[in-house]
Amino acid sequence: MQLTEGIGECESLTELVLTENQLLVLPKSIGKLKKLNNLNVDRNKLMSLPKEIGGCTSLNVFCVRENRLTRIPSEIAQATELHVLDVAGNRLSHLPLSLTSLKLKALWLSDNQSQPLLTFQTDVDTETGEKVLTCVLLPQMPSGQDNLPRCGAFESLVNDMSDDTWNERAMNRISAIRFLDDEKEDDEDETATLLRRATPHPGELKTMKKTVENLRTTMNAAKGLDSNKNEVNNSIDRLTTSV
């Protein structure tokens, strides 16, 4: 649940993996790790990062996936060797503008993100007035069992189905979304309920495509056999007629 401040004395440390613990904070002394090039704090309970994180000047890969972060300190840009930043599964509403000074090769904001780098636009934080970065994946929505509930159609489909199995039952599932101001409790009343069907996962779409292609090939082959059979029958009929 807590990482000792003494971690900063490990000056020769190059890799630190703290995944799947109950960490609420990282100690400020972590900024003393000048040789650290890989820091992984995935799946903890971090609500903030110390600004001293920028002191890790050799940091190449920094992963804080599935925490509770609401902001990333602008001082992270002081880690000039940072190339991969994974902040997917948090609660970020924007990113610091200082990230543009880094030579990032990958910035992960979402589990199903297809591109390592996205197109960002500058915006203004209404609370602080400072310029920030935003994109189509921000603000992030809380996820996980201990966070706010989400519209579970897509998430349930991904969790319930493997990449090589098409579950028809899951595809036919319907999620009911009720609005906050809807005080009706009658489940049979669909007038105030938005119904959304599950969206296929990309892996399932590939499986469906392959299945359809195989079916089309089989049908074409069957049609070819029928065509040949019909030609033979027509030839026999012509011979019989002539005889």
Side-chain angles (χ1 to χ4, degrees), residues 16-182:
L16 180 58
V17 178
L18 302 166
T19 57
E20 297 182 355
N21 284 286
Q22 302 290 324
L23 297 176
L24 299 175
V25 295
L26 290 179
K28 296 179 180 180
S29 64
I30 204 166
K32 297 180 181 180
L33 302 179
K34 305 297 182 183
K35 296 183 180 181
L36 189 67
N37 56 54
N38 184 7
L39 177 57
N40 192 320
V41 204
D42 290 348
R43 295 181 293 280
N44 278 272
K45 296 183 178 181
L46 299 179
M47 301 185 69
S48 63
L49 294 174
K51 62 181 182 180
E52 287 78 8
I53 195 71
C56 302
T57 52
S58 299
L59 194 61
N60 293 142
V61 179
F62 183 31
C63 299
V64 283
R65 176 182 289 257
E66 294 181 26
N67 280 275
R68 302 176 180 179
L69 300 175
T70 57
R71 64 180 300 271
I72 301 295
S74 59
E75 287 80 4
I76 197 172
Q78 296 172 9
T80 54
E81 298 298 316
L82 187 61
H83 295 309
V84 178
L85 178 60
D86 188 347
V87 293
N90 283 279
R91 304 176 182 181
L92 301 171
S93 57
H94 54 71
L95 295 172
L97 187 64
S98 60
L99 285 182
T100 56
S101 65
L102 296 175
K103 297 180 180 179
L104 289 176
K105 297 179 180 178
L107 174 58
W108 298 100
L109 297 173
S110 172
D111 291 335
N112 58 348
Q113 181 178 328
S114 60
Q115 298 295 329
L117 284 175
L118 301 168
T119 301
F120 286 90
Q121 299 84 35
T122 56
D123 199 354
V124 177
D125 184 356
T126 56
E127 295 183 1
T128 64
E130 64 178 337
K131 286 187 176 181
V132 294
L133 293 178
T134 187
C135 71
V136 295
L137 296 179
L138 295 172
Q140 292 179 334
M141 297 296 293
S143 62
Q145 296 180 351
D146 56 348
N147 292 328
L148 296 176
R150 301 182 65 182
C151 303
F154 183 77
E155 291 80 3
S156 296
L157 184 63
V158 172
N159 292 332
D160 293 347
M161 302 170 65
S162 62
D163 287 342
D164 57 355
T165 302
W166 182 255
N167 188 327
E168 185 176 357
R169 180 185 59 81
M171 274 306 300
N172 292 330
R173 179 185 304 149
I174 301 177
S175 296
I177 305 170
R178 294 194 178 278
F179 298 97
L180 294 177
D181 57 351
D182 181 19

Side-chain angles (χ1 to χ4, degrees), residues 232-243:
V232 171
N233 291 335
N234 291 336
S235 298
I236 294 175
D237 291 339
R238 284 196 298 270
L239 289 173
T240 303
T241 302
S242 62
V243 170

